[in-house]
Amino acid sequence: VEIAVVVGIAALAQWVMNLINNRITYRVVRDIRNEAFRKLQILPLKYIDSRPTGEVVSRVIADVDQFADGLLMGFTQLFSGVITILGTLIFMLSVNVVITAVVVVITPVSLLVAAFIAKRTYDMFRLQSQVRGEQTGFVEEMVAGQKVEKVFNHQPQDFAEFCRRNEAYRQAATKALTYSGMTVPTVVALSYINYAVSACVGGLFALAGLTDLGSLASYLVYVRQSAMPMNQFTQQINFLLAALSGAERIFDMMNETPEIDEGTVTLCNVEEDEWGRLQECSHFTEHFAWKVPDSQGNTSLVPLKGDVRFNHVVFGYTPEKKVLNDISLYAKPGQKIAFVGSTGAGKTTIINLINRFYEISGGSITYDGIDVRSIKKDDLRRSLSLVIQDTHLFTGPIADNIRYGRLDASMED
């Protein structure tokens, strides 16, 4: 009966520990993924433009899943292993302090060897995550560019490139698992050496009359028991190292500098009072004004008209190559302006700069006489309508795509 009770309690404790581990793990994963997506939304457009879309998606989805698998598989084993080792060590000390000291001296050798192999394994897992992200980015580009691929009959070249990337992933994964596969047999072999040394030292103690055979036999059982959690933990090291490599890529993205917004000017709804003066109001009026603060804490209202001016603007996507150099132009309210030029002349760049998707290197851009750098980005972009050349439809009804810029629009609107 007692044995049945003990077994039942052990099974219940294991179930409770797994349940708690699952809940904690996926709450952590949920929070990390929320933070990663939130950070993605405030990163500058330059970060997104300079990387394949699939590679960024891989960080938020695949790398977070990899991190979760490592936590789920390794945390329970680590926790129970540490408790088992500490408990066994206490029993070993109670039986024979001297032989225990020998075991404690030999055990760090196992840890050093495991740490050396783990370092190489971690590097390989990190390379595997990187190659997988690049492969995901390539697949995403091919799926998005199917029309272009078919028009130019580029399928054979794209397939060859995918095979090359797939082979690179196979090599990286094979190397990672090869190194990680060395850990378990190495640590197991060292544990057997530890057991043999303990048996020899214990035998010498028994011959010298310092211990009896019964105590030595029970002690050697504890030595084997202390090695078991270490061996089990090394079996989970693959998941832990893969989790760390995935976490590194996630936190690299989360450590990126977010989009800077130092603007203080905001956009507000206005209406005219009985004397023709503009007054801010909370309801929608179809009339807007810029709310401009001054150094004394007062604000003034500047009507939104749409007067845009470039004053000696200098800009380059990279510091060493200027796309726009000393550009000055204006668009008065009501004017229809067309930019005509060859591909790469800077037409789209001008629109990107008005929206502050990128920051200019020199000069200034004013909007109704206000430097766009003084306007909060959300308010600046809310005052503009932009129809880009590359149409993008979000998943969902067409109506939701149409009202994307104004969520409260009715079906009649």
Side-chain angles (χ1 to χ4, degrees):
V1 177
E2 290 82 359
I3 295 177
V5 171
V6 171
V7 171
I9 293 174
L12 179 62
Q14 184 67 38
W15 178 78
V16 170
M17 185 169 65
N18 289 336
L19 180 63
I20 294 174
N21 185 32
N22 292 344
R23 289 180 178 272
I24 292 175
T25 296
Y26 284 106
R27 283 179 181 175
V28 170
V29 168
R30 177 200 62 192
D31 293 342
I32 290 177
R33 187 167 279 148
N34 284 344
E35 282 301 305
F37 190 80
R38 185 193 67 82
K39 185 59 179 282
L40 193 60
Q41 290 184 307
I42 61 175
L43 285 175
L45 197 63
K46 182 178 180 180
Y47 178 87
I48 308 298
D49 284 347
S50 61
R51 290 165 176 79
T53 304
E55 197 271 340
V56 178
V57 173
S58 178
R59 295 185 184 227
V60 180
I61 304 299
D63 288 333
V64 175
D65 283 339
Q66 186 170 291
F67 179 64
D69 291 340
L71 285 181
L72 199 61
M73 299 298 294
F75 179 76
T76 304
Q77 200 68 249
L78 176 63
F79 180 78
S80 60
V82 170
I83 297 298
T84 303
I85 290 174
L86 291 177
T88 305
L89 185 60
I90 293 173
F91 283 114
M92 290 167 64
L93 288 171
S94 67
V95 174
N96 195 304
V97 176
V98 178
I99 305 179
T100 303
V102 175
V103 175
V104 171
V105 169
I106 297 176
T107 300
V109 177
S110 302
L111 297 177
L112 289 174
V113 173
F116 174 78
I117 299 175
K119 173 65 171 63
R120 296 293 300 162
T121 305
Y122 175 74
D123 292 339
M124 291 300 104
F125 273 122
R126 184 170 57 181
L127 176 62
Q128 179 185 355
S129 297
Q130 178 184 339
V131 174
R132 183 187 58 216
E134 293 171 355
Q135 185 184 45
T136 305
F138 181 78
V139 172
E140 190 276 336
E141 286 182 350
M142 291 304 101
V143 172
Q146 277 292 294
K147 290 181 180 178
V148 177
E149 183 189 51
K150 285 178 167 52
V151 164
F152 289 98
N153 296 315
H154 212 263
Q155 294 94 328
Q157 293 90 335
D158 290 338
F159 179 72
E161 176 63 18
F162 177 79
C163 290
R164 186 190 69 79
R165 292 173 182 265
N166 206 21
E167 174 62 18
Y169 179 75
R170 184 197 67 79
Q171 292 180 3
T174 301
K175 288 180 180 179
L177 293 176
T178 299
Y179 276 104
S180 63
M182 295 168 56
T183 308
V184 175
T186 303
V187 172
V188 169
L190 289 172
S191 70
Y192 285 132
I193 294 173
N194 195 3
Y195 182 82
V197 172
S198 301
C200 292
V201 174
L204 294 174
F205 273 55
L207 291 174
L210 298 176
T211 185
D212 58 87
L213 289 177
S215 298
L216 177 60
S218 62
Y219 182 84
L220 291 177
V221 172
Y222 290 137
V223 173
R224 288 299 301 146
Q225 187 172 346
S226 67
M228 287 176 57
M230 180 67 71
N231 297 340
Q232 292 171 354
F233 175 69
T234 53
Q235 292 174 6
Q236 306 301 325
I237 200 168
N238 295 358
F239 298 102
L240 291 172
L241 292 175
L244 290 175
S245 65
E248 183 181 32
R249 284 166 48 82
I250 300 165
F251 293 123
D252 279 346
M253 184 186 77
M254 294 177 68
N255 288 333
E256 289 285 337
T257 303
E259 191 175 30
I260 299 173
D261 188 2
E262 71 285 5
T264 56
V265 178
T266 57
L267 189 69
C268 63
N269 289 284
V270 293
E271 59 184 0
E272 292 186 353
D273 61 15
E274 56 185 353
W275 294 284
R277 294 175 302 189
L278 292 179
Q279 298 290 333
E280 182 182 358
C281 57
S282 57
H283 58 277
F284 182 73
T285 62
E286 296 187 358
H287 298 285
F288 302 92
W290 300 110
K291 192 174 179 180
V292 184
D294 58 26
S295 56
Q296 283 75 38
N298 301 316
T299 59
S300 58
L301 297 176
V302 177
L304 171 63
K305 296 180 178 180
D307 186 286
V308 178
R309 296 178 184 270
F310 278 53
N311 303 302
H312 307 286
V313 169
V314 179
F315 171 75
Y317 290 100
T318 58
E320 62 274 5
K321 185 176 181 180
K322 297 291 187 294
V323 177
L324 303 177
N325 192 21
D326 195 26
I327 297 296
S328 295
L329 53 88
Y330 63 87
K332 295 180 179 179
Q335 281 188 310
K336 294 180 176 65
I337 305 295
F339 296 111
V340 181
S342 60
T343 300
K347 305 183 296 296
T348 303
T349 300
I350 288 175
I351 303 302
N352 287 339
L353 295 181
I354 296 175
N355 284 276
R356 286 191 71 194
F357 291 150
Y358 293 89
E359 301 295 341
I360 60 178
S361 306
S364 65
I365 302 174
T366 60
Y367 191 0
D368 291 328
I370 304 168
D371 194 313
V372 293
R373 288 170 290 195
S374 300
I375 304 174
K376 283 188 174 295
K377 288 184 178 180
D378 286 350
D379 294 86
L380 172 67
R381 293 162 186 170
R382 191 157 55 92
S383 72
L384 299 165
S385 293
L386 177 64
V387 181
I388 57 179
Q389 57 187 348
D390 299 320
T391 303
H392 181 85
L393 292 177
F394 293 96
T395 301
I398 294 297
D400 288 349
N401 276 271
I402 296 174
R403 64 159 60 93
Y404 193 79
R406 191 178 134 203
L407 300 179
D408 60 344
S410 65
M411 289 303 294
E412 181 181 355
D413 293 332

